Structures are given as C-alpha cells and as structure tokens.
Amino acid sequence: MMGARAKQLSPADLRPRAKALRDAGGRLQFAYAWSPDGAAPEVRYVSAIPRQHEFEMWIVPGHRELPSLTPALPLIGWYEREMMDLYGVTFVGHPEPYPLVLHARGRSDIKGNGLNGLTNGRPRLPDIDAADVQHLPFGPIRADVLESAEFTFLYVGEHIIHYHPRLFFKHRGMEKSFEGADAQRGAVIAERVSAVGSVAHALAYCEAVERAAGCEAPPRAKALRMLLAELERLYNHLHYLGHLCHTTTLKVGEAQGKLLEETAKQLNARLTGSRFLRGVLTPGGLRRDLNPGKWLGDALESLREDYVVYAAKLELSESHLDRLITTGLLPEKVAFDQGATGPVERASGLDRDLRRDHPYAGYSDLPLTVTVLKEGDAYARERVRMAEIEASFILCQRILLLLEPGPARVECRPAPSTEGLGWAEGPRGSLFYAVHFGADGRLARVKIKSPSFSNWRAFPFTVHDSNMMDYAINEASFGLTVAGCDR
Amino acid sequence: MASWTLFGLARGKATTSWPGAGAKDGQEGVLGMPRYDAEACREGCQECAAVCPTGAIQTRESELALDYGRCVVCQLCTEACPTGAMTPSNDWAFGVWDRQDLNLSDPGTRRDRPIGPESAFRRSLHIRHVDAGSCNGCESELQALNNPFYNLHRLGIFFTPSPRFADLLLVTGVVTNVMYEPLQAAYEAMPEPRWVMAVGTCAVSGGIAGGNYVCRTGLEGVLPVDVYLPGCPPNPAAIMAALLMFLDRAPQRVKGGRIDG
Ligand code: SF4
C-alpha cells in the first residue's frame, strides 16, 4: 500500500511477528478488514517501528479465522472485536470475544432501514456479589449538552471498584458512507466524522487519496493545510481548558477558556467560512486558495496574549490544581500497551507525535517542539495541552511568515483499484485513513482509525479504583469525543 | 477566588446584545445555504445535482428542486455550477415551523405560524438536549451558547438535565437505531405540553449517513417535529434565532426556501 511497506503474512506468521514487533519496541497502530470484490475478508495490521519513517503493513488475505494478537498486544483488542462484529472474522484466543460495535439482539420491533435488531455491545461486568456494592448505570442520555454514551459504575460509598463505558450508541456507519463516493465527495464525508476534528480527518483522508493517486499537493496548499490543522488544535485545546475548569468548578476560568475558544472559532469562520474550518481541503490541495492577510497574524497574536494571561492564572489557582494533581493516573506502560495517543500518551511519558515521527503535509520543514511529561495525571494532561497551545501559536505565525504565492491545487485522480494510507496528528492524537478505490474508480473501502477510539480503550484503567468525586475531572482531562470513537 | 473575580471584572463585558439592534451576531464570514438563481441556470445542466452528497438538489424538467432541509452546506454545488446560478451565501437563519418552507421548489407555501407555545412561555424556556447520533458539531455549537459571548441565559433560555422539567426536546443527530429507544423514552418522560426541535441537517433529514444499515433519517417518522433548523452545524446565532422564533420573540425568516422572501 502506498504510504506503508506491505508484507503478506500467513495466519501462522502473525503471533511471531507480533512478538518481534513488541520486542523491537514497535507498536501496532490499528487493524482493519475489507473484502476485495466481495471475496473473503482480508485483514491488515499497520504498525510503527521506532526510528523508521515508513509504517509497516501486514496483509493476511482470505481467512475467516485468525489467531488473536490481543494477549500479546492488548491495544488491538477493540480492533479485533470490531472486525468480528462487522466482517465476521473470528479471532481465536481473544480474551474478550464479545460484541463491541454491533450486537444482534434478535428482536425486530424497531423498524430501521436495512439490518434490524442490531444494538451496540452490552457491558460485561465483573460478578461482584456483595450487598454494599452499588450499581449505577448512567446514560446514554447524560446531564448537560453532551454526546451520548452509557457508563456503568460499581462502587462502594465514594470508591469506584469497576467502571465500564458502553459506547457505539452513535455508530453511524460512517466508513460505509464513503463507499461509492468519488474522491472529492469523500473529503466532505471525512469532515463530518467528528466535527471538532474536521481538518485532521480531511487531511489524513486527502493524503491517503493522494498517495493512491501518486500526486502531491503543491507547497502553498501544504502550508495552508498545516495552518488549518494548528488552528484546529488551538480551538480544541482552548475548549479543553474551559471544560476542565467547569469540572473543577473554577467558574471564571471556565468562562474565559470558552470565550477564547469562541474567539478562535470566529477567526476560523473569517478565514474559511466555517467555524470548524470545513470546506477547504480536497484531494490534490485546496478547493480554493485562502488569503490569510495581516489581520490573521494580528488576531492570533492578540489571542495569544490573552491566553498567556489566562494560563498563568490557571497555574496559580490552587483549588484547580489540587483537583488535577494525582487524579486519573495513567502509568506509562498501561498507556503504551492499551494504545493511548496524543496529549494523553505524551502526559504519560511516551514521546510520540506523528508530525515529527512520520512527517506529513510539510511538518518536516517546521520547528516542532513535542512536550512530554512523566506524571501521567490529569495535571500532566492539562500541561501538555497548554504547551501545545503555545507551540501552535508559534507554528501558525511561522507558516504565515513563510507562505509563498503559488498554485493551491493539482489534478488528483486515483486510478481504479489503487489504495493509500494517510495520517495526521489531530488535537486528540493519531488519526489514520486507509482508502481503497474499486475497479470503477470510486471508493470501495475506507477505514478510519480515530484518536478517541484509542483513548476510550485506555481511559477505564484510570477509573477503576478511583473515586466518584474525581470522575468528571478525569474524563474531562482525557478530552475524548464520542462521535470520533463510534463513527 | 478573589483574583479570578477581579480578573473577570477587569475583562469587562464580553456578551453581545444580539439580536438587539446594531449588535454583532459573531458570524462574520460564516457560509450558509447556497443561493439559487433560476434565471442564470442552464437547461439540461445537472452539475450541481451530481455533486450534492445528500440529494438536496433534484432536477425536474426545466428547473431545480432544492431542499434546504437536506443541505449539509458543503458548498460543492457552488463550485460545480458553471453559470453562477448556485452561489455561496451567508444565509444561515433557517429555522422554520413547516418542513415545506425548506423546499425551494414550493414558492408561496408560506404557512402561518401554528398555534404555538406563546402563552405557555412568557418568561423562560427549559430545554432537554438529546444527541441521537451526531458528528459532535451541533453539540459544539450548543455548548457555545453558554459561553460569555452568546450567554443564552440572558434570554431566559436554559438547558435542563431532566426531561421532566423540559418544555422543549432539542434533538441533534441522524437517529441511530440504537438511540431510537432512549430518545423515545426522553420524549415520553416530558410533561405536556411538549415541543420538539430538530437541530442540524442530520436531525431534520438524515444528512450523510441517513438511511444506511444503522441509521434512520433524522426525526422523520420518529417524533412529531415543531421546529426544523437545518445547517451543518447551525451556528450559535442560528440556534438562538430558532429558539427565539419558537418563543414568538423573533420572526421566521425563511419562507418557501427563500430567506426574508
Ligand atoms: S451545499 Fe447543500 S445543496 Fe449544495 S451540494 Fe452541498 S449539500 Fe448539496
């Protein structure tokens, strides 16, 4: 596949390969299945090898039964379960062989479209038979304006013994929505997988298509794509700070964080016509050139000045810090094994960032600082994001300074039966798109690996054995989306 | 904390007084629904209908039928149109009482406002929001309503956690089969009289994923809808305008698919 070094493997090769990858300090990124021309599903595993820019892809064609890699590489557990649900592949030896995304519940009282009687996976809870253990299911409709998901707590008094998030209430079949679309329409769909990650999704998608087509966006388009990607990081991280203050009940801090986010979103709209920076990226470059002008640099500088004052005040607010320090501890090993990504893993000592390790767009030409902290608590997760806000302001100014005139789009027509891999480091972490074009030149299969799918898998490890009062703070400190995870 | 209080005071007032006269709505540059100029349209050309990802544009004999209730504001049609008949605009205040008013092919539908909630809500409105399968864009904009710029509370409009205290059920998202039951349960838990608002193109008609193997087509056939607000997502000012329209404190601006027409 273009974008990854591909190797054909037989099922018997998988476990030795997985062990070798682990021993080399490598990490699986994601896995997916697809059925070329309706044939038996082909399973693909994408991994990152330390100090190697190119990803590695293992291809195992035509098997309905494969050995599970989850016992050796736990982070692949949810990918295997998703393939069991959606592609009917069985992974032998999986420690949790239960439905995750879809579950046939054998009733047809809901008259949907297409397949009926499907629901999302049911929680499997530990069998705790003690009278003082309370059982609290919460959701899928939660208090406040929030995305739908259901959480089950088993707790005694304030102490949480076990926690289970039930997701995929919002599984919209977005990957399927791409099938039959042309390359250009695909970008519009990618922007609607997770709105607060519109640019990262469109960017990973566009680069995947460009690799399939063997074309490259012109320098000006690459620069403007990075500008949009950093603007996306900015408004997301500002929102994050405001929301985190909401959970620590720092009211003015909440208001100020959300006001800065609003200012950033209004800048987005002035620049692109969309508060979510949509409608600009397309395979081959940009749908239209953008003219940032001096006003944008000035507006960003004034936003930065406001931010610096705000951040300094947060760092002095003991009531806020007290709630974050030591809350929701994610040890480095758990973060690595369970596949935590983005600011979450960087706050647990893992020094990884796709922008630097597997440069895309034009990031290899920019001075990028990657902030890594060891503590692994909610406070570390906040500080990593704060450092990324400062870094994004610098990157934006740099991009504006270096922006050269030139074309913003090249012809990009993927040939029939081609495929490509694209990736981006979104505000929440690593995002991958694998695209396959069919014989008719239209999209035949699109796999989306979203950062929240990874971080939701790691999150419960920080909740078991913690306390109720910290739950909302801990959840906010992860900065998860549900739409991105559920797709 | 005293220092935050001082900080807040020193920052001064951040809130717009929109929709008060002369105040900023905060949507400078925001692109809305495409405008269609039938005069400029070339017969037999189907470029816009071919690129539209949601089937919002249909070609009929000699003219176009445009359903803004299906539009996800992607602007592809405005780029594909060779004659300038389909152009980008800043028209985003698309809240309507009657679904027909989102259809451009039906000029003159122009129905009167139904007997509504005006007597019930002289003062405040309580809303229960349900995400029935969104991309989180609508939630992001709904959350923005409570930031200091819009400060929805100043209009006496509040979100409430319990459907039992809610007057209005505000639904976002395509309505996945899995969310169908929880959504119905929330509606059933509301005391009468109760109203429903479909916010975002997904909730109005299904959007991109509507009708696939796990999704319904928004609230169509799921709940009785009182107010429709398409948009992808509708911006905070558009949501405010629709809520004020619901309260009879602002006019409906779109009739027969034309804004202020
Ligand atoms: S802007 Fe609306 S009508 Fe035009 S192509 Fe996009 S969805 Fe269709």
Side-chain angles (χ1 to χ4, degrees), chain A residues 172 174 187-202 228 232 235 268-269 271-282 287-288 290 483, chain B residues 29 31 72-75 79 134-138 140-141 201-202 208 231-234:
Chain A
R172 288 164 292 152
M174 286 308 284
V188 168
I189 302 173
E191 287 174 338
R192 281 155 183 81
V193 175
S194 174
V196 293
S198 293
V199 177
H201 277 266
L228 299 188
E232 180 168 88
Y235 87 83
N268 293 347
L271 178 65
T272 65
S274 159
R275 288 162 57 86
F276 296 85
L277 304 160
R278 285 171 167 173
V280 182
L281 271 63
T282 196
R287 283 164 60 179
R288 61 203 152 82
L290 299 177
Chain B
L31 292 175
V72 293
V73 206
C74 68
Q75 314 296 337
E79 290 165 18
S134 70
C135 71
N136 70 33
C138 289
S140 180
E141 297 299 52
T201 298
C202 291
I208 297 271
C232 193

Side-chain angles (χ1 to χ4, degrees), chain A residues 227-449:
Chain A
L227 177 69
L228 299 188
E230 295 309 319
L231 290 174
E232 180 168 88
R233 204 177 317 279
L234 277 177
Y235 87 83
N236 269 282
H237 283 5
L238 291 170
H239 171 82
Y240 171 95
L241 293 177
H243 183 57
L244 194 63
C245 289
H246 169 71
T247 62
T248 63
T249 64
L250 193 65
K251 289 289 175 196
V252 185
E254 175 188 358
Q256 181 65 6
K258 293 187 173 170
L259 184 60
L260 296 179
E261 175 202 5
E262 176 64 27
T263 307
K265 272 174 147 184
Q266 292 189 9
L267 293 183
N268 293 347
R270 259 183 90 186
L271 178 65
T272 65
S274 159
R275 288 162 57 86
F276 296 85
L277 304 160
R278 285 171 167 173
V280 182
L281 271 63
T282 196
L286 307 182
R287 283 164 60 179
R288 61 203 152 82
D289 200 356
L290 299 177
N291 282 308
K294 188 174 170 309
W295 71 268
L296 183 64
D298 292 348
L300 282 171
E301 179 53 20
S302 115
L303 181 62
R304 191 191 67 80
E305 284 165 7
D306 283 347
Y307 166 73
V308 169
V309 176
Y310 172 60
K313 281 202 74 64
L314 284 181
E315 286 289 87
L316 290 174
S317 299
E318 279 172 32
S319 70
H320 178 69
L321 303 182
D322 282 350
R323 303 300 306 274
L324 301 178
I325 295 168
T326 72
T327 295
L329 225 66
L330 182 69
E332 180 176 333
K333 179 160 168 42
V334 179
F336 185 84
D337 288 348
Q338 301 299 334
T341 184
V344 173
E345 68 172 329
R346 290 192 283 276
S348 288
L350 297 174
D351 188 6
R352 310 170 71 92
D353 188 320
L354 290 176
R355 291 175 295 173
R356 180 199 61 200
D357 305 338
H358 305 271
Y360 57 94
Y363 278 109
S364 51
D365 301 334
L366 288 180
L368 194 71
T369 42
V370 178
T371 300
V372 179
L373 294 174
K374 288 263 168 242
E375 291 82 353
D377 59 359
Y379 183 44
R381 292 190 280 276
E382 184 199 45
R383 278 184 299 151
V384 165
R385 278 175 160 100
M386 285 175 150
E388 292 184 7
I389 291 176
E390 302 216 7
S392 287
F393 276 122
I394 293 169
L395 289 175
C396 287
Q397 296 293 3
R398 185 78 174 203
I399 295 164
L400 289 173
L401 193 72
L402 298 179
L403 194 61
E404 297 272 2
R409 188 173 185 172
V410 295
E411 180 86 9
C412 179
R413 281 190 197 284
S417 309
T418 50
E419 53 187 44
L421 181 71
W423 57 91
E425 184 78 25
R428 291 170 179 77
S430 62
L431 180 63
F432 288 84
Y433 269 71
V435 304
H436 296 259
F437 286 91
D440 57 359
R442 292 178 171 269
L443 288 161
R445 169 80 171 110
V446 172
K447 166 64 192 172
I448 308 163
K449 181 274 172 200

Side-chain angles (χ1 to χ4, degrees), chain A residues 111 113 120 142 145 147-148 169-172 185 192 194-196 262 265 273 275 278 287 313 317, chain B residues 3-4 29 31 52 72 74 79 128 131 134-136 140-141 143 147 150 176 178 212-213 216 232:
Chain A
K111 301 267 180 296
N113 301 281
N120 50 339
R142 300 185 277 158
V145 176
E147 293 190 80
S148 293
F169 284 89
K170 297 180 58 162
H171 174 60
R172 288 164 292 152
R185 180 179 294 181
R192 281 155 183 81
S194 174
V196 293
E262 176 64 27
K265 272 174 147 184
R275 288 162 57 86
R278 285 171 167 173
R287 283 164 60 179
K313 281 202 74 64
S317 299
Chain B
S3 79
W4 278 104
L31 292 175
C52 179
V72 293
C74 68
E79 290 165 18
R128 173 66 244 198
D131 162 20
S134 70
C135 71
N136 70 33
S140 180
E141 297 299 52
Q143 288 165 359
N147 74 33
Y150 304 102
T176 62
V178 186
N212 73 9
Y213 67 117
R216 306 176 69 105
C232 193

